[in-house]
Coordinates of all heavy atoms in Angstrom, one line a residue:
M1 N -37.9 26.5 31.5 CA -38.8 25.9 32.5 C -40.1 26.7 32.5 O -40.1 27.9 32.5 CB -38.1 26.0 33.9 CG -39.1 25.6 35.0 SD -38.2 25.4 36.6 CE -38.3 27.0 37.2
V2 N -41.2 26.0 32.5 CA -42.5 26.7 32.6 C -42.9 26.7 34.0 O -43.0 25.7 34.7 CB -43.5 25.9 31.7 CG1 -44.9 26.5 31.7 CG2 -43.1 25.8 30.2
T3 N -43.4 27.9 34.4 CA -43.8 28.1 35.8 C -45.3 27.7 35.9 O -45.9 27.4 34.9 CB -43.7 29.6 36.2 OG1 -44.5 30.4 35.4 CG2 -42.2 30.0 36.1
D4 N -45.8 27.7 37.2 CA -47.1 27.3 37.4 C -48.2 28.1 36.7 O -49.3 27.6 36.3 CB -47.5 27.3 38.9 CG -46.7 26.3 39.7 OD1 -46.3 25.3 39.1 OD2 -46.6 26.5 40.9
D5 N -47.8 29.4 36.4 CA -48.8 30.3 35.7 C -48.6 30.2 34.2 O -49.2 31.1 33.5 CB -48.8 31.7 36.3 CG -47.4 32.4 36.1 OD1 -46.5 31.7 35.5 OD2 -47.3 33.5 36.4
G6 N -47.8 29.3 33.7 CA -47.7 29.1 32.3 C -46.6 30.0 31.6 O -46.4 29.8 30.4
R7 N -45.9 30.8 32.4 CA -44.8 31.5 31.8 C -43.5 30.7 31.6 O -43.3 29.8 32.3 CB -44.4 32.7 32.6 CG -45.5 33.8 32.7 CD -45.1 35.0 33.6 NE -45.2 34.5 35.0 CZ -44.1 34.4 35.8 NH1 -42.9 34.6 35.4 NH2 -44.3 34.0 37.0
D8 N -42.8 31.0 30.6 CA -41.6 30.3 30.3 C -40.4 31.2 30.8 O -40.0 32.2 30.2 CB -41.4 30.0 28.8 CG -40.1 29.2 28.5 OD1 -39.3 29.0 29.3 OD2 -40.0 28.7 27.3
D9 N -39.8 30.8 32.0 CA -38.8 31.6 32.7 C -37.5 31.7 31.8 O -36.8 32.6 31.9 CB -38.5 31.1 34.0 CG -39.4 31.6 35.1 OD1 -40.2 32.5 34.8 OD2 -39.4 31.1 36.2
D10 N -37.2 30.7 31.0 CA -36.1 30.8 30.2 C -36.1 31.9 29.1 O -35.1 32.4 28.7 CB -35.9 29.4 29.4 CG -35.5 28.3 30.4 OD1 -35.0 28.6 31.5 OD2 -35.8 27.2 30.1
L11 N -37.3 32.3 28.7 CA -37.5 33.4 27.8 C -37.5 34.8 28.5 O -37.3 35.7 27.8 CB -38.8 33.2 27.0 CG -38.9 31.9 26.1 CD1 -40.2 31.8 25.4 CD2 -37.7 31.9 25.1
D12 N -37.8 34.8 29.7 CA -37.9 36.1 30.5 C -36.6 36.4 31.1 O -36.5 36.5 32.3 CB -39.0 35.9 31.6 CG -40.4 35.8 31.0 OD1 -40.6 36.3 29.9 OD2 -41.2 35.2 31.7
T13 N -35.6 36.7 30.3 CA -34.3 37.0 30.8 C -34.2 38.4 31.4 O -33.5 38.6 32.4 CB -33.2 36.8 29.7 OG1 -33.5 37.6 28.6 CG2 -33.1 35.3 29.4
G14 N -34.8 39.4 30.7 CA -34.8 40.8 31.3 C -33.4 41.4 31.4 O -32.5 40.9 30.8
V15 N -33.3 42.4 32.2 CA -32.0 43.1 32.4 C -31.6 42.6 33.8 O -32.3 42.2 34.6 CB -32.2 44.6 32.3 CG1 -32.4 45.0 30.8 CG2 -33.2 45.2 33.1
P16 N -30.2 42.8 34.1 CA -29.8 42.2 35.3 C -30.4 42.6 36.7 O -30.7 41.7 37.5 CB -28.2 42.8 35.4 CG -28.0 43.0 33.9 CD -29.3 43.4 33.3
D17 N -30.7 43.9 36.9 CA -31.3 44.3 38.2 C -32.8 44.4 38.2 O -33.3 44.8 39.2 CB -30.6 45.5 38.7 CG -29.1 45.3 39.0 OD1 -28.8 44.2 39.4 OD2 -28.4 46.3 38.8
S18 N -33.4 44.1 37.1 CA -34.9 44.3 37.0 C -35.6 43.0 36.9 O -35.1 42.0 36.2 CB -35.2 45.2 35.8 OG -34.7 46.5 36.0
D19 N -36.8 42.9 37.5 CA -37.6 41.7 37.3 C -38.2 41.8 35.8 O -38.9 42.7 35.5 CB -38.7 41.8 38.3 CG -39.7 40.6 38.2 OD1 -39.6 39.8 37.2 OD2 -40.5 40.4 39.1
P20 N -37.9 40.8 35.0 CA -38.3 40.8 33.6 C -39.8 40.8 33.5 O -40.3 41.1 32.4 CB -37.7 39.6 33.0 CG -37.4 38.7 34.2 CD -37.2 39.6 35.4
R21 N -40.6 40.5 34.5 CA -42.0 40.4 34.4 C -42.7 41.7 34.9 O -43.9 41.8 35.0 CB -42.5 39.2 35.2 CG -42.1 37.9 34.6 CD -42.4 36.7 35.4 NE -41.7 36.7 36.7 CZ -40.5 36.2 36.9 NH1 -39.9 35.6 35.9 NH2 -39.9 36.3 38.0
H22 N -41.8 42.6 35.2 CA -42.3 44.0 35.8 C -41.8 45.1 34.9 O -40.6 45.1 34.7 CB -41.8 44.1 37.2 CG -42.2 45.4 37.8 ND1 -43.4 45.7 38.3 CD2 -41.4 46.5 38.1 CE1 -43.4 46.9 38.8 NE2 -42.2 47.4 38.7
I23 N -42.7 45.9 34.5 CA -42.3 47.0 33.6 C -41.8 48.1 34.6 O -42.5 48.6 35.4 CB -43.5 47.6 32.8 CG1 -43.9 46.5 31.8 CG2 -43.1 48.9 32.1 CD1 -45.2 46.8 31.1
D24 N -40.5 48.5 34.4 CA -39.8 49.4 35.3 C -38.9 50.3 34.4 O -37.7 50.0 34.5 CB -39.1 48.7 36.4 CG -38.4 49.6 37.4 OD1 -38.7 50.9 37.3 OD2 -37.6 49.2 38.1
P25 N -39.4 51.3 33.7 CA -38.6 52.1 32.8 C -37.4 52.8 33.6 O -36.3 52.8 33.1 CB -39.5 53.1 32.2 CG -40.9 52.5 32.4 CD -40.8 51.7 33.6
A26 N -37.7 53.3 34.8 CA -36.7 54.0 35.5 C -35.6 53.0 35.9 O -34.4 53.3 35.8 CB -37.3 54.7 36.7
G27 N -36.0 51.8 36.4 CA -35.0 50.8 36.8 C -34.2 50.3 35.6 O -33.0 50.1 35.7
D28 N -34.8 50.2 34.5 CA -34.1 49.7 33.2 C -33.2 50.8 32.8 O -32.0 50.5 32.4 CB -35.1 49.4 32.1 CG -36.0 48.2 32.5 OD1 -35.6 47.4 33.4 OD2 -37.1 48.0 31.8
L29 N -33.5 52.0 32.9 CA -32.6 53.1 32.6 C -31.4 53.1 33.5 O -30.3 53.3 33.0 CB -33.4 54.5 32.6 CG -32.5 55.7 32.3 CD1 -32.0 55.7 30.9 CD2 -33.4 57.0 32.5
A30 N -31.7 53.0 34.8 CA -30.5 52.9 35.7 C -29.6 51.7 35.4 O -28.4 51.8 35.5 CB -31.1 52.8 37.2
D31 N -30.2 50.6 35.1 CA -29.4 49.4 34.7 C -28.5 49.8 33.5 O -27.3 49.4 33.5 CB -30.3 48.2 34.3 CG -31.1 47.6 35.4 OD1 -30.7 47.8 36.6 OD2 -32.0 46.9 35.1
A32 N -29.0 50.4 32.5 CA -28.3 50.8 31.3 C -27.1 51.8 31.7 O -26.0 51.6 31.2 CB -29.2 51.4 30.2
V33 N -27.4 52.7 32.5 CA -26.4 53.7 32.9 C -25.3 53.0 33.7 O -24.1 53.1 33.4 CB -27.0 54.8 33.7 CG1 -25.9 55.7 34.3 CG2 -27.9 55.7 32.9
E34 N -25.7 52.1 34.7 CA -24.7 51.4 35.5 C -23.8 50.4 34.7 O -22.6 50.3 35.0 CB -25.4 50.6 36.6 CG -25.9 51.5 37.7 CD -26.7 50.7 38.8 OE1 -27.2 49.6 38.5 OE2 -26.8 51.3 39.8
A35 N -24.4 49.8 33.7 CA -23.7 48.9 32.8 C -22.8 49.6 31.8 O -22.0 48.9 31.1 CB -24.7 48.0 32.1
G36 N -23.0 50.9 31.6 CA -22.2 51.6 30.6 C -22.8 51.5 29.3 O -22.2 52.0 28.3
D37 N -24.0 51.0 29.1 CA -24.7 50.9 27.8 C -25.2 52.3 27.4 O -25.5 52.5 26.2 CB -25.8 49.9 27.8 CG -25.3 48.5 28.1 OD1 -24.1 48.2 27.7 OD2 -26.1 47.7 28.6
L38 N -25.4 53.2 28.4 CA -25.9 54.5 28.1 C -25.1 55.5 28.9 O -25.0 55.4 30.1 CB -27.4 54.6 28.6 CG -28.1 56.0 28.4 CD1 -28.2 56.4 27.0 CD2 -29.4 56.0 29.1
E39 N -24.4 56.4 28.2 CA -23.5 57.2 28.9 C -24.2 58.6 29.0 O -24.7 59.2 28.1 CB -22.2 57.4 28.1 CG -21.4 56.2 28.1 CD -20.0 56.4 27.6 OE1 -19.5 57.5 27.7 OE2 -19.4 55.4 27.1
L40 N -24.1 59.1 30.2 CA -24.6 60.4 30.6 C -23.5 61.3 31.0 O -22.5 60.8 31.6 CB -25.7 60.3 31.7 CG -26.9 59.5 31.5 CD1 -27.7 59.4 32.8 CD2 -27.7 59.9 30.3
E41 N -23.7 62.6 30.8 CA -22.7 63.6 31.3 C -23.4 64.7 32.0 O -24.6 65.0 31.7 CB -21.9 64.2 30.1 CG -21.0 63.2 29.4 CD -20.3 63.9 28.3 OE1 -20.3 65.2 28.2 OE2 -19.8 63.2 27.4
L42 N -22.8 65.2 33.0 CA -23.4 66.3 33.8 C -23.3 67.6 32.9 O -22.4 67.8 32.2 CB -22.6 66.6 35.1 CG -22.7 65.5 36.2 CD1 -21.9 65.9 37.3 CD2 -24.2 65.4 36.6
D43 N -24.4 68.3 33.0 CA -24.4 69.7 32.4 C -23.3 70.5 33.1 O -23.0 70.4 34.3 CB -25.8 70.3 32.5 CG -25.9 71.5 31.8 OD1 -26.2 71.5 30.6 OD2 -25.8 72.6 32.5
D44 N -22.7 71.5 32.3 CA -21.7 72.3 32.8 C -22.2 73.2 34.0 O -21.4 73.5 34.9 CB -21.2 73.3 31.8 CG -20.4 72.5 30.7 OD1 -19.9 71.5 31.0 OD2 -20.3 73.1 29.6
E45 N -23.5 73.4 34.1 CA -24.0 74.2 35.2 C -24.5 73.4 36.4 O -25.0 73.9 37.4 CB -25.2 75.0 34.6 CG -24.7 76.0 33.5 CD -25.8 76.9 33.0 OE1 -26.9 77.0 33.7 OE2 -25.7 77.4 31.9
Q46 N -24.5 72.0 36.2 CA -24.9 71.2 37.4 C -23.9 71.2 38.5 O -22.7 71.1 38.3 CB -25.0 69.7 36.9 CG -25.4 68.8 38.0 CD -26.7 69.1 38.6 OE1 -27.7 69.1 37.9 NE2 -26.8 69.2 39.9
D47 N -24.4 71.5 39.7 CA -23.5 71.6 40.9 C -23.3 70.1 41.4 O -24.3 69.5 41.9 CB -24.2 72.4 41.9 CG -23.3 72.7 43.1 OD1 -22.4 71.9 43.3 OD2 -23.7 73.6 43.8
V48 N -22.1 69.7 41.4 CA -21.8 68.3 41.8 C -22.1 68.2 43.3 O -22.6 67.1 43.8 CB -20.4 67.9 41.5 CG1 -20.0 66.6 42.1 CG2 -20.1 67.9 40.0
D49 N -21.9 69.2 44.1 CA -22.1 69.2 45.5 C -23.6 69.0 45.8 O -24.0 68.3 46.7 CB -21.6 70.5 46.2 CG -20.1 70.5 46.3 OD1 -19.5 69.4 46.3 OD2 -19.5 71.6 46.3
E50 N -24.5 69.6 44.9 CA -25.9 69.4 45.1 C -26.3 67.9 44.9 O -27.2 67.4 45.5 CB -26.7 70.3 44.1 CG -26.8 71.7 44.5 CD -27.5 72.6 43.5 OE1 -28.1 72.0 42.5 OE2 -27.7 73.8 43.8
L51 N -25.7 67.3 43.9 CA -25.9 65.9 43.6 C -25.5 65.0 44.8 O -26.2 64.1 45.2 CB -25.2 65.4 42.3 CG -25.8 65.8 41.0 CD1 -25.0 65.4 39.9 CD2 -27.2 65.3 40.9
R52 N -24.3 65.3 45.4 CA -23.9 64.6 46.5 C -24.8 64.8 47.7 O -25.1 63.8 48.4 CB -22.4 65.1 46.9 CG -21.4 64.6 45.9 CD -20.0 64.9 46.5 NE -19.0 64.4 45.5 CZ -18.3 65.2 44.8 NH1 -18.4 66.5 44.8 NH2 -17.4 64.7 43.9
E53 N -25.3 66.0 47.9 CA -26.2 66.2 49.0 C -27.5 65.5 48.8 O -28.0 64.8 49.7 CB -26.6 67.7 49.1 CG -27.5 68.1 50.2 CD -27.9 69.5 50.2 OE1 -27.1 70.4 49.7 OE2 -29.0 69.8 50.8
F54 N -28.0 65.4 47.5 CA -29.2 64.6 47.2 C -29.0 63.2 47.5 O -29.8 62.5 48.2 CB -29.6 64.8 45.7 CG -30.6 63.8 45.3 CD1 -31.9 63.8 45.6 CD2 -30.1 62.6 44.6 CE1 -32.8 62.8 45.2 CE2 -30.9 61.6 44.1 CZ -32.3 61.7 44.4
L55 N -27.8 62.7 47.1 CA -27.5 61.3 47.4 C -27.5 60.9 48.9 O -28.0 60.0 49.3 CB -26.2 60.9 46.7 CG -25.8 59.4 46.6 CD1 -26.9 58.6 45.9 CD2 -24.4 59.3 45.9
E56 N -26.8 61.8 49.6 CA -26.7 61.6 51.0 C -28.1 61.6 51.7 O -28.4 60.8 52.5 CB -25.8 62.7 51.7 CG -24.4 62.5 51.4 CD -23.6 63.7 51.8 OE1 -24.1 64.5 52.6 OE2 -22.4 63.8 51.4
R57 N -28.9 62.6 51.3 CA -30.2 62.6 51.9 C -31.1 61.4 51.5 O -31.8 60.9 52.3 CB -30.9 63.9 51.4 CG -30.3 65.2 52.1 CD -30.9 66.4 51.6 NE -32.3 66.5 52.1 CZ -33.3 67.1 51.5 NH1 -33.1 67.9 50.5 NH2 -34.5 67.2 52.0
A58 N -31.0 61.0 50.3 CA -31.8 59.9 49.8 C -31.3 58.6 50.5 O -32.2 57.8 51.0 CB -31.6 59.6 48.3
E59 N -30.0 58.4 50.7 CA -29.5 57.2 51.4 C -29.8 57.3 52.9 O -29.9 56.2 53.5 CB -28.0 57.1 51.1 CG -27.7 56.7 49.7 CD -26.2 56.7 49.4 OE1 -25.4 57.4 50.1 OE2 -25.8 56.0 48.4
A60 N -30.0 58.5 53.4 CA -30.4 58.6 54.8 C -31.8 58.4 55.1 O -32.3 58.4 56.2 CB -30.0 60.0 55.3
G61 N -32.6 58.2 54.0 CA -34.0 57.9 54.1 C -34.9 59.2 54.3 O -36.0 59.1 54.8
E62 N -34.4 60.3 53.8 CA -35.2 61.6 54.0 C -36.4 61.7 53.0 O -37.2 62.5 53.2 CB -34.2 62.8 53.9 CG -33.3 62.9 55.1 CD -32.5 64.2 55.0 OE1 -33.0 65.2 54.5 OE2 -31.4 64.2 55.4
F63 N -36.4 60.9 52.0 CA -37.4 60.9 51.0 C -38.3 59.6 51.1 O -37.8 58.6 51.5 CB -36.9 61.0 49.6 CG -35.9 62.2 49.4 CD1 -34.6 61.9 49.1 CD2 -36.4 63.5 49.5 CE1 -33.7 63.0 49.0 CE2 -35.5 64.5 49.3 CZ -34.1 64.2 49.0
D64 N -39.5 59.7 50.7 CA -40.3 58.5 50.6 C -39.8 57.5 49.6 O -39.4 58.0 48.5 CB -41.8 58.8 50.3 CG -42.5 59.6 51.4 OD1 -42.1 59.4 52.6 OD2 -43.5 60.3 51.1
A65 N -39.7 56.3 49.9 CA -39.1 55.3 49.0 C -40.1 55.0 47.9 O -41.2 54.8 48.1 CB -38.7 54.0 49.7
D66 N -39.6 55.0 46.7 CA -40.3 54.4 45.5 C -39.3 54.0 44.5 O -38.2 54.4 44.5 CB -41.3 55.5 45.0 CG -40.7 56.7 44.4 OD1 -39.8 56.5 43.6 OD2 -41.2 57.8 44.7
P67 N -39.7 53.2 43.5 CA -38.8 52.7 42.5 C -38.1 53.8 41.7 O -37.0 53.7 41.4 CB -39.7 51.8 41.6 CG -40.8 51.5 42.5 CD -41.1 52.6 43.4
S68 N -38.8 54.9 41.4 CA -38.2 56.0 40.7 C -37.1 56.7 41.4 O -36.0 57.0 40.9 CB -39.3 57.0 40.3 OG -40.2 56.5 39.4
L69 N -37.3 56.8 42.7 CA -36.2 57.4 43.6 C -35.0 56.5 43.6 O -33.9 56.9 43.5 CB -36.7 57.6 45.0 CG -35.7 58.1 46.0 CD1 -35.2 59.5 45.6 CD2 -36.2 58.2 47.4
E70 N -35.2 55.2 43.8 CA -34.1 54.3 43.8 C -33.4 54.4 42.5 O -32.1 54.4 42.4 CB -34.6 52.8 44.0 CG -33.4 51.9 44.1 CD -33.8 50.5 44.4 OE1 -34.8 50.2 45.0 OE2 -33.0 49.6 44.0
A71 N -34.0 54.4 41.3 CA -33.4 54.5 40.0 C -32.6 55.8 39.9 O -31.5 55.8 39.4 CB -34.4 54.4 38.9
T72 N -33.2 56.9 40.4 CA -32.5 58.2 40.3 C -31.3 58.1 41.2 O -30.2 58.6 40.8 CB -33.5 59.3 40.9 OG1 -34.6 59.3 40.1 CG2 -32.8 60.6 40.8
V73 N -31.3 57.5 42.4 CA -30.1 57.4 43.2 C -29.0 56.6 42.5 O -27.9 57.0 42.5 CB -30.5 56.7 44.5 CG1 -29.2 56.3 45.3 CG2 -31.4 57.7 45.4
R74 N -29.4 55.5 41.9 CA -28.4 54.7 41.1 C -27.8 55.5 40.0 O -26.6 55.4 39.7 CB -29.1 53.5 40.6 CG -29.5 52.5 41.7 CD -30.4 51.4 41.2 NE -29.8 50.6 40.1 CZ -30.5 49.9 39.2 NH1 -31.8 49.8 39.4 NH2 -29.9 49.3 38.2
I75 N -28.6 56.3 39.3 CA -28.1 57.1 38.2 C -27.1 58.2 38.7 O -26.1 58.4 38.2 CB -29.2 57.7 37.4 CG1 -29.9 56.6 36.6 CG2 -28.7 58.8 36.4 CD1 -31.2 57.0 35.9
V76 N -27.5 58.9 39.8 CA -26.7 59.9 40.4 C -25.3 59.3 40.9 O -24.3 59.8 40.7 CB -27.4 60.6 41.6 CG1 -26.5 61.4 42.4 CG2 -28.6 61.4 41.0
R77 N -25.4 58.1 41.5 CA -24.1 57.4 41.9 C -23.2 57.2 40.7 O -22.0 57.5 40.8 CB -24.5 56.1 42.5 CG -24.9 56.1 43.9 CD -25.0 54.7 44.5 NE -25.7 54.7 45.8 CZ -26.7 53.9 46.1 NH1 -27.1 53.0 45.2 NH2 -27.3 54.0 47.3
S78 N -23.8 56.7 39.6 CA -23.0 56.5 38.4 C -22.4 57.8 37.9 O -21.2 57.8 37.5 CB -23.9 55.9 37.3 OG -24.2 54.6 37.7
L79 N -23.2 58.9 37.9 CA -22.7 60.2 37.4 C -21.6 60.6 38.3 O -20.6 61.1 37.8 CB -23.8 61.2 37.4 CG -24.8 61.1 36.3 CD1 -26.1 62.0 36.5 CD2 -24.2 61.4 35.0
L80 N -21.8 60.5 39.6 CA -20.7 60.9 40.6 C -19.5 60.2 40.4 O -18.3 60.6 40.6 CB -21.2 61.0 42.0 CG -22.3 62.1 42.3 CD1 -22.8 61.9 43.7 CD2 -21.7 63.5 42.1
N81 N -19.6 58.8 40.2 CA -18.5 58.0 40.0 C -17.7 58.4 38.8 O -16.4 58.4 38.7 CB -18.8 56.5 39.8 CG -19.2 55.8 41.1 OD1 -18.8 56.3 42.2 ND2 -20.0 54.8 41.0
D82 N -18.4 58.8 37.7 CA -17.7 59.3 36.5 C -17.0 60.6 36.7 O -15.9 60.8 36.2 CB -18.7 59.5 35.4 CG -19.2 58.2 34.8 OD1 -18.6 57.2 35.1 OD2 -20.3 58.2 34.1
V83 N -17.5 61.5 37.5 CA -16.9 62.8 37.9 C -15.7 62.6 38.7 O -14.7 63.2 38.5 CB -17.9 63.7 38.7 CG1 -17.2 64.9 39.3 CG2 -19.0 64.1 37.8
E84 N -15.7 61.6 39.6 CA -14.6 61.4 40.5 C -13.4 60.7 39.8 O -12.3 60.7 40.3 CB -15.0 60.6 41.7 CG -16.0 61.4 42.6 CD -16.7 60.6 43.7 OE1 -16.5 59.4 43.8 OE2 -17.5 61.2 44.4
E85 N -13.7 60.0 38.7 CA -12.6 59.2 37.9 C -11.8 60.1 37.1 O -11.8 61.1 36.8 CB -13.3 58.1 37.1 CG -13.8 57.0 37.9 CD -14.5 55.9 37.1 OE1 -14.6 56.0 35.9 OE2 -14.9 54.9 37.7

């Protein structure tokens, strides 16, 4: 289907959680991590409790919201899910 601005929406499939007409490298990276297309591992020296604290603070709104923060939160959630499994 062609939109009013001439774009063909059928060709703009993009990735699941990202707008295909918006360049969002952080969001695309988070999509890949969540989908399991890109596997990350915590460094041996990374403190899991620090990640949990970051996640709690971010979800509580202690940081200014921006797309990079949201992507980072999604990646941290995925990492913590892997640790807990």
Side-chain angles (χ1 to χ4, degrees):
M1 171 170 87
V2 177
T3 62
D4 291 339
D5 62 357
R7 288 179 290 111
D8 186 347
D9 276 351
D10 293 334
L11 297 177
D12 292 333
T13 57
V15 291
D17 292 330
S18 297
D19 180 347
R21 293 169 298 269
H22 176 73
I23 297 174
D24 181 15
D28 292 344
L29 179 61
D31 290 344
V33 171
E34 289 176 334
D37 296 335
L38 178 65
E39 292 193 26
L40 301 179
E41 292 182 15
L42 291 177
D43 186 81
D44 291 336
E45 296 180 21
Q46 176 64 55
D47 186 345
V48 174
D49 290 331
E50 286 180 359
L51 285 177
R52 286 188 181 108
E53 180 183 338
F54 163 78
L55 188 58
E56 288 172 10
R57 291 180 65 204
E59 289 175 339
E62 290 186 32
F63 307 113
D64 290 335
D66 69 46
S68 296
L69 175 64
E70 182 178 333
T72 302
V73 166
R74 291 170 54 203
I75 291 168
V76 168
R77 279 189 195 128
S78 293
L79 286 168
L80 290 174
N81 284 340
D82 289 345
V83 166
E84 292 168 1
E85 290 177 356

